[in-house]
C-alpha cells in the first residue's frame, strides 16, 4: 500500500508523518531514495570513524600524558629589516614570553637564527621555540592583553611598535612539533 491523499501524494514534509499515522509505506521518487541511502551510508561511516579518531587523539602521548608541547614560530622579515625586527621582538614580545615562563605556562623559550643563507622560498630569519607545559595549556585561552598592560603601561607606544614588528615581516608561520623516539621499537 502507498501513502497518499485523495488529492495526490502528500507533500514531502508531511509524507513521513502521514505514513506513520496511517501505517502505509511512503511513495518516494528514486532520487530521494538515492539521497537517503547516501546520507545513511556516510553518516554510518562518520559514526564508525569518530570513536576511532577520538581514541587515537586521546592516546597520543602529548595530549594524554601532559608532556611538554613544543611550537616553533618562524619569522621571515623583509630584506634589510631583520635587525629592526629583532630589536622590537626583544623589547616588546620577549618580556611577555619570559613572564609566561615565570608563571609556569611555558617551560622554556629560545630563538634561533640560520647560520647560512637559504633559498628565498625556504628562507626564514628567526625561529622562536616555545615549550608549553602541555598541549592543553598551549591551546586554552590566555589573557595576554592584561599581561601586556601590566608590563607596558605606555600602551600607545607598545601597540605602535608591535604593529611595526609585523609590518616588516614577509611571512610568519607556526609549527607544532613532536619528538620522534628513535629508540622505540616499530609496531
Amino acid at each position: 500500500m502507498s501513502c497518499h491523499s485523495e488529492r495526490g501524494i502528500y507533500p514531502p514534509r508531511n509524507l513521513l508523518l502521514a505514513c506513520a499515522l496511517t501505517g502505509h509505506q511512503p511513495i518516494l521518487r528514486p532520487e530521494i531514495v538515492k539521497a537517503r541511502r547516501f546520507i545513511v551510508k556516510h553518516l554510518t561511516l562518520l559514526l564508525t570513524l569518530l570513536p576511532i579518531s577520538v581514541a587515537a587523539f586521546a592516546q597520543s602521548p602529548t595530549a594524554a600524558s601532559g608532556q611538554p608541547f613544543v611550537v616553533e614560530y618562524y619569522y621571515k622579515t623583509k630584506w634589510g629589516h631583520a635587525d629592526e625586527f629583532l630589536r622590537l621582538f626583544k623589547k616588546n614580545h620577549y618580556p611577555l614570553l619570559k613572564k609566561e615562563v615565570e608563571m609556569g605556562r611555558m617551560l622554556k623559550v629560545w630563538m634561533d637564527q640560520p647560520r647560512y643563507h637559504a633559498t628565498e622560498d625556504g628562507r626564514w630569519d628567526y625561529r622562536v621555540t616555545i615549550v608549553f607545559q602541555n598541549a592543553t595549556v598551549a591551546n586554552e585561552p590566555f589573557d595576554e592583553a592584561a599581561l601586556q598592560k601590566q608590563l607596558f603601561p605606555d600602551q600607545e607606544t607598545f601597540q605602535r611598535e608591535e604593529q611595526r614588528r609585523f609590518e616588516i615581516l614577509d611571512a610568519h608561520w607556526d609549527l607544532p612539533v613532536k619528538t620522534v623516539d628513535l629508540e622505540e621499537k616499530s609496531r
Side-chain angles (χ1 to χ4, degrees), residues 8 14 16 19 22 28 30 36-37 52 56 60 63 98 101 129-130 143 152 154 170 174 185 187:
N14 298 330
L16 295 178
C19 291
T22 61
L28 298 174
R36 277 189 175 172
R37 284 186 188 140
I52 295 168
S60 74
K98 284 194 328 187
V101 169
T129 304
I130 299 177
D143 187 10
F152 302 101
D154 183 359
D170 264 343
D174 308 337
K185 300 285 185 215
R187 296 177 198 190

Side-chain angles (χ1 to χ4, degrees), residues 100-118:
E100 290 184 56
V101 169
E102 289 173 22
M103 295 166 63
R105 183 169 187 266
M106 298 171 181
L107 302 177
K108 190 173 180 182
V109 175
W110 70 91
M111 179 183 273
D112 294 304
Q113 181 179 32
R115 188 175 299 267
Y116 301 115
H117 297 283

Side-chain angles (χ1 to χ4, degrees), residues 61-62 67-68 70 72 176-187:
T62 302
Q67 292 183 3
V70 180
E72 294 177 340
V177 296
K178 68 177 187 170
T179 302
V180 176
D181 184 353
L182 297 174
E183 299 299 322
E184 180 182 38
K185 300 285 185 215
S186 299
R187 296 177 198 190

